[in-house]
Amino acid sequence: SYPAVGYDFVSWTGVPVEYESDNPLTIGNVTSDMTITANFILAYDGNNDGTPDAQQDHIKNITADNEEIVTVQFPESSTILTCGLVDDPSPDDRPTQYDFEYGFFNFIIDDLDIGGATTVTIYLPDGASPVTYFKFGRTLRTPTPHWYEFMYDGTTGAEIDGNTITLHFVDGERGDDDLSANGKIEDDGGPGFSDILDTPQSDNSGDPQGASGGCFIGTAS
């Protein structure tokens, strides 16, 4: 059996166990009808660790708004409750000096240390160059959901290295939308892109943007 481009053969279903991994498959002495299914797995390896993402429970692939594949890597000890693409959570006041060409992602992970720190890594396709990461949600200072820039402040936030975004979280702190130290992280956000080299940046505090001069100005959360 020949897999389609981007897929690898895994096994056969409906054959004796000793034949399950044979490819090509040859079965002799067939005396009745058989229903045989070829099983394939997506071969995409977004984090370049040498193992297809689909074979690793702590790695998920998302087809983004621009139809490209985004890979999200979670802590191996966590339980992934949700992971996927979501609609723009607040298009009327979305930051306008950035393009969010990949859209916005939502994930919820559980079974973390209560109040502990963890990281989630997002791998964009080769050549992608995000300049920032925005979240839409609640913060300790502003419990009403709002846009805020979520860049690394030494404790929480996004570190960007080329096409790789490492999101630092602390359970119950800035970036955790449920604001509770409960062993669960809830997140809505997405990477921002800009062609303007001198785009003003906020102080990444996690509070709503100011309106003066098109800049985003935060205050301590």
Side-chain angles (χ1 to χ4, degrees), residues 87-168:
D87 292 336
D88 186 333
S90 187
D92 290 342
D93 61 349
R94 183 185 63 240
T96 57
Q97 75 267 50
Y98 299 106
D99 289 327
F100 294 90
E101 59 191 75
Y102 286 84
F104 301 96
F105 315 129
N106 166 268
F107 56 80
I108 302 175
I109 53 176
D110 204 353
D111 296 329
L112 303 170
D113 292 337
I114 300 296
T118 192
T119 59
V120 173
T121 305
I122 297 174
Y123 298 91
L124 301 177
D126 290 343
S129 299
V131 297
T132 188
Y133 197 88
F134 266 83
K135 284 178 48 61
F136 185 83
R138 303 186 300 145
T139 58
L140 293 171
R141 183 180 179 89
T142 308
T144 301
H146 60 281
W147 290 106
Y148 63 95
E149 194 169 22
F150 188 57
M151 295 301 289
Y152 190 56
D153 63 4
T155 304
T156 62
E159 286 190 291
I160 298 174
D161 180 12
N163 66 326
T164 303
I165 304 169
T166 302
L167 301 175
H168 297 265

Side-chain angles (χ1 to χ4, degrees), residues 158-195:
E159 286 190 291
I160 298 174
D161 180 12
N163 66 326
T164 303
I165 304 169
T166 302
L167 301 175
H168 297 265
F169 294 102
V170 174
D171 183 29
E173 298 296 327
R174 183 181 79 118
D176 181 9
D177 290 348
D178 65 18
L179 300 182
S180 299
N182 56 4
K184 180 187 296 184
I185 298 289
E186 298 186 20
D187 177 86
D188 279 333
F193 296 78
S194 178
D195 293 328

Side-chain angles (χ1 to χ4, degrees), residues 42 44 53 59-74 82-86 102-107 122-125 189:
L42 186 67
Y44 190 76
D53 298 337
I59 298 178
K60 301 297 181 183
N61 294 135
I62 299 172
T63 301
D65 272 356
N66 60 4
E67 302 300 323
E68 295 190 88
I69 297 177
V70 173
T71 298
V72 186
Q73 180 172 312
F74 297 94
T82 65
C83 177
L85 192 70
V86 294
Y102 286 84
F104 301 96
F105 315 129
N106 166 268
F107 56 80
I122 297 174
Y123 298 91
L124 301 177

